[in-house]
Amino acid sequence: FLLNNNVRFKVNRRNINKDIEKSFINEPKKFCFLNNGITLVCTNYKIQSTGTNKNKILLEKPSIVNGGQTVSTLYDLYEKNYQDYEKQFKEANILIRIYKSPEKYILDIAKATNSQNPINIVDLHSNDYSQEKVKEYFKTKGIGFITKVGEDTTYYDDTITNESLLQIYTSLYGNEPAKAKVSKRVVFNQYYDLVFNDSIDEKIYKKLYRCYEIFTFVENRKFENDKALISHASFALIYTMKMINKNIVNENIPSDTIKIHFNSSFLDSIKIINEIVDEKQKLLGSKFSLNNLFKNSEIKDLIDIKIDKRFEDKNLQ
């Protein structure tokens, strides 16, 4: 009954439920600061004294219009494990907002309180100390490291977002070119804590800046080569370049020298990528798709086979 006017009933979102449980169980005194709270509407209310320092609020026709996930999760804990969490239920508080409203406006309130733009994981990490340190390092190079939508980029020679940087990192250091292409959000979830953690240091800054350098180099080669191919194959090319010439991930090679290594490995890499594309086109005919080829995890194996064969041929010579 309490959720009848909400825009949805309980939603089984394991990550959200676990986060609610985690903050409630581990930090009950901070729960009211870590949870968005509950919004109720009612047609009338009355504050009733209990003879103590706490009052009761009696609600007429109450309905939860926001916070159903919190209520449902805590109810499950209460029903199943109350004895285990009795202490938490005594210590935890939660912010409650109560709107007194005629019934005809209740659905409007329910829609309004559930229609704000959601805060995603990228936004939640935007002010992290580790990202601020990377931002400072990139700034010394004249490059803006963007962690927030709408960030001022006026004074930078060039910019790159944290999501794009982690995609490049996934291909260059994680050896997963297909995953880098498939989804920014998946990559961010998997690699963020690995890269942007409390032990972040200059070595990581240099790795991330090398990611920026190689990606920019590959992007600039679009004008001299097949633009559509490089647009789809950029992460595969980056991976191939690294496998051909490990010097491109040597952070101690300065920027003015590294482009020599970029150029030589790119020329060999684009040949390998073109060979793979040609073979797949002949095999699949009209069903061939550049996008599907470079999103498929098979692309790494195809590149590795080509590189191994090249090294074998050179050794035989």
Side-chain angles (χ1 to χ4, degrees), residues 105-145:
Y105 296 133
I106 287 176
L107 288 179
D108 290 335
I109 296 172
K111 290 176 184 176
T113 55
N114 285 281
S115 63
Q116 293 86 357
N117 291 329
I119 303 297
N120 59 46
I121 187 171
V122 181
D123 298 326
L124 290 172
H125 283 294
S126 63
N127 291 321
D128 284 3
Y129 172 79
S130 56
Q131 291 205 83
E132 289 301 315
K133 297 300 290 182
V134 174
K135 191 187 293 279
E136 290 173 14
Y137 182 82
F138 269 59
K139 191 175 181 180
T140 65
K141 307 287 188 179
I143 308 302
F145 175 57

Side-chain angles (χ1 to χ4, degrees), residues 21 24 73-82 85 89:
E21 286 186 16
F24 176 79
T73 302
L74 294 181
Y75 178 77
D76 287 343
L77 279 177
Y78 184 86
E79 281 286 285
K80 298 173 186 175
N81 305 303
Y82 177 70
Y85 305 124
F89 276 105

Side-chain angles (χ1 to χ4, degrees), residues 56-254:
K56 280 185 179 180
I57 303 178
L58 304 180
L59 306 181
E60 185 176 319
K61 294 186 178 180
S63 182
I64 294 170
V65 294
N66 191 279
Q69 198 73 11
T70 296
V71 172
S72 299
T73 302
L74 294 181
Y75 178 77
D76 287 343
L77 279 177
Y78 184 86
E79 281 286 285
K80 298 173 186 175
N81 305 303
Y82 177 70
Q83 294 300 320
D84 294 335
Y85 305 124
E86 184 176 1
K87 175 175 174 287
Q88 283 87 339
F89 276 105
K90 288 180 179 178
E91 291 184 351
N93 291 310
I94 191 165
L95 177 67
I96 305 288
R97 291 177 293 276
I98 301 172
Y99 293 94
K100 175 186 171 182
S101 170
E103 286 188 75
K104 63 180 180 179
Y105 296 133
I106 287 176
L107 288 179
D108 290 335
I109 296 172
K111 290 176 184 176
T113 55
N114 285 281
S115 63
Q116 293 86 357
N117 291 329
I119 303 297
N120 59 46
I121 187 171
V122 181
D123 298 326
L124 290 172
H125 283 294
S126 63
N127 291 321
D128 284 3
Y129 172 79
S130 56
Q131 291 205 83
E132 289 301 315
K133 297 300 290 182
V134 174
K135 191 187 293 279
E136 290 173 14
Y137 182 82
F138 269 59
K139 191 175 181 180
T140 65
K141 307 287 188 179
I143 308 302
F145 175 57
I146 308 303
T147 62
K148 296 180 184 179
V149 175
E151 200 165 336
D152 185 14
T153 61
T154 307
Y155 301 103
Y156 297 115
D157 298 328
D158 193 15
T159 61
I160 189 165
T161 67
N162 50 3
E163 288 182 283
S164 294
L165 203 57
L166 280 180
Q167 282 181 285
I168 305 160
Y169 186 96
T170 300
S171 181
L172 188 61
Y173 294 99
N175 299 323
E176 296 186 284
K179 181 174 285 186
K181 180 174 173 59
V182 169
S183 171
K184 285 184 178 181
R185 199 52 46 85
V186 168
V187 164
F188 197 92
N189 281 321
Q190 180 177 339
Y191 280 90
Y192 183 84
D193 289 336
L194 177 67
V195 177
F196 296 102
N197 53 54
D198 293 338
S199 62
I200 197 165
D201 56 17
E202 190 172 5
K203 186 176 180 181
I204 298 296
Y205 307 155
K206 287 182 175 180
K207 280 187 174 183
L208 292 174
Y209 190 69
R210 183 54 47 85
C211 287
Y212 163 78
E213 288 181 304
I214 189 171
F215 184 74
T216 304
F217 175 87
V218 170
E219 284 289 290
N220 289 337
R221 298 307 292 264
K222 284 181 180 178
F223 303 105
E224 306 165 17
N225 296 271
D226 186 333
K227 187 175 181 180
L229 173 64
I230 293 181
S231 294
H232 284 291
S234 57
F235 298 117
L237 274 166
I238 287 169
Y239 169 74
T240 310
M241 288 168 66
K242 189 274 294 285
M243 297 306 292
I244 287 173
N245 184 354
K246 293 294 196 295
N247 277 320
I248 71 170
V249 290
N250 184 342
E251 300 90 24
N252 295 318
I253 297 177

